[in-house]
């Protein structure tokens, strides 16, 4: 597949993990290794990953609602 594999430097050092690949050829998204290690530690300790949340939620605006803004 195109997700979950390691990102490796030329010297063989793992520096991250691939998370997904865009439909556009050559574009791949990855997470830094230190972030992956932190997530693994959270999974081991708490059995879940805690991510920051700033309390903003997006919604789709109808044309009627957009005119009221």
């Amino acid at each position: 597949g195109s997700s979950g594999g390691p990102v490796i430097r030329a010297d063989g050092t793992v520096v991250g993990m691939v998370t997904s690949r865009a439909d556009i050829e050559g574009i791949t998204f990855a997470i830094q290794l230190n972030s992956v290690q932190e997530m693994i530690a959270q999974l081991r300790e708490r059995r879940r990953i805690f991510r920051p949340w700033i309390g903003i939620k997006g919604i789709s605006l109808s044309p009627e609602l957009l005119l009221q803004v």
Side-chain angles (χ1 to χ4, degrees):
S2 62
S3 62
V7 177
I8 303 173
R9 288 194 312 211
D11 66 359
T13 305
V14 176
V15 294
M17 183 176 78
V18 175
T19 58
S20 63
R21 190 177 81 200
D23 289 335
I24 303 167
E25 187 175 328
I27 297 180
T28 304
F29 300 95
I31 299 174
Q32 296 179 42
L33 183 60
N34 60 348
S35 296
V36 173
Q37 291 171 330
E38 183 180 318
M39 287 182 218
I40 290 170
Q42 288 181 14
L43 285 170
R44 285 183 176 152
E45 292 174 17
R46 305 176 190 153
R47 299 202 175 268
R48 63 181 294 204
I49 296 171
F50 293 88
R51 294 194 174 115
W53 183 65
I54 59 173
I56 297 173
K57 183 177 180 181
I59 63 169
S60 297
L61 294 177
S62 65
E64 297 81 20
L65 187 57
L66 188 59
L67 290 174
Q68 295 177 8
V69 175

